[in-house]
Amino acid sequence: NLKDSDLTYKLCEKLLPNLNEISKLVGMPIYEVCRASYGGLVENYLIKKGKEFNEIIPNRPKYDSIIERRKDTYEGAFVMEPKPGFYNKIVFFDFKSLYPTLIVSKNISPSSLNKSKGNKTPEVEMKGRKKHYYFDTKEAFIPKLVKELILKRTKIKDKLKKGKDSALEGQSYALKTVGNSIYGYYGFFGSRYHSMECAASITAWAREYIQNV
């Protein structure tokens, strides 16, 4: 029992700062945060920020809509199969927050999606048809929030270079968790901001940039 108590205490020391910061960021009680899905965290964050930006939050989808959404799929990430062997002069490339950065730079949002103008996607295959999507260049609600998350986390990471700080590490974790989950929230069948076009566009642009590199 003593060992179990000691391990529980150590886990609490490690996890509590992260849970506290997520709770503050998304506006959920901590006992809900530790049980919430990533989609639930994003949804609460968008609802919380909606008031600040005078945004009308869409209703949750009905059961019939969820059933229909479950049928749709799209092409995901590009994964290059490695060729086994020994190599010299290996170079490592890593895109910083690739999906969140694409959401911001291309203004990917259901409200900015249109038929003919703005940021044009690479070719996307949806429901057996290949096409391009377009996103307005005027900054939309969700890309604006993602940009805010990225900039805040960059400032915190700069502060962390000066020394370890569990509260700042928790803030960085919270910002990263919510920011990285917004792509998945677009494709989630139970999302208020569900958009397969947005999710497919993000992975299409990501594949193009990775393959070009």
Side-chain angles (χ1 to χ4, degrees):
N1 284 345
L2 183 61
K3 187 65 175 174
D4 286 346
S5 300
D6 184 48
L7 290 171
T8 303
Y9 177 74
K10 286 176 179 174
L11 280 168
C12 188
E13 278 190 313
K14 182 74 176 172
L15 298 174
L16 199 56
N18 293 351
L19 294 173
N20 274 330
E21 294 304 329
I22 293 174
S23 177
K24 285 190 277 187
L25 182 67
V26 304
M28 293 170 68
I30 198 164
Y31 59 84
E32 289 183 14
V33 164
C34 64
R35 293 168 173 81
S37 65
Y38 290 118
L41 297 178
V42 171
E43 181 167 288
N44 274 273
Y45 179 68
L46 295 179
I47 290 171
K48 179 187 172 187
K49 298 295 282 188
K51 294 178 184 178
E52 184 182 323
F53 287 89
N54 202 28
E55 177 81 6
I56 297 173
I57 305 297
N59 292 326
R60 278 186 176 161
K62 303 288 186 188
Y63 178 77
D64 290 345
S65 296
I66 290 174
I67 295 299
E68 282 301 309
R69 289 176 178 184
R70 281 177 176 269
K71 298 175 185 176
D72 293 331
T73 59
Y74 61 92
E75 189 178 352
F78 167 71
V79 180
M80 188 172 72
E81 285 295 322
K83 295 178 182 176
F86 292 98
Y87 294 86
N88 291 321
K89 299 179 182 177
I90 299 295
V91 180
F92 179 79
F93 288 96
D94 183 22
F95 285 96
K96 181 181 176 182
S97 302
L98 178 57
Y99 285 5
T101 302
L102 282 169
I103 291 172
V104 174
S105 62
K106 305 299 184 183
N107 200 39
I108 301 172
S109 168
S111 64
S112 60
L113 180 66
N114 70 80
K115 294 182 179 179
S116 60
K117 60 180 182 178
N119 297 313
K120 181 182 177 183
T121 68
E123 194 172 66
V124 177
E125 186 171 341
M126 289 277 285
K127 297 180 180 179
R129 294 179 59 195
K130 292 182 179 180
K131 60 185 299 184
H132 298 276
Y133 293 111
Y134 297 84
F135 295 92
D136 291 330
T137 53
K138 185 180 178 182
E139 195 173 40
F141 170 59
I142 294 178
K144 194 178 290 185
L145 295 186
V146 177
K147 182 180 179 180
E148 190 178 271
L149 293 172
I150 292 171
L151 293 175
K152 280 183 179 178
R153 185 162 182 255
T154 300
K155 289 179 182 177
I156 288 168
K157 288 180 82 174
D158 287 340
K159 289 179 183 177
L160 282 169
K161 289 175 184 176
K162 298 173 185 175
K164 192 168 174 150
D165 184 311
S166 60
L168 286 177
E169 286 172 356
Q171 287 176 34
S172 177
Y173 177 83
L175 294 165
K176 180 181 180 180
T177 299
V178 174
N180 285 349
S181 301
I182 287 174
Y183 150 72
Y185 188 67
Y186 279 154
F188 172 49
F189 51 79
S191 166
R192 293 174 188 262
Y193 286 89
H194 175 79
S195 173
M196 293 295 275
E197 295 86 354
C198 287
S201 297
I202 292 167
T203 56
W205 260 309
R207 288 192 304 272
E208 181 177 77
Y209 282 122
I210 290 168
Q211 288 167 355
N212 285 347
V213 168

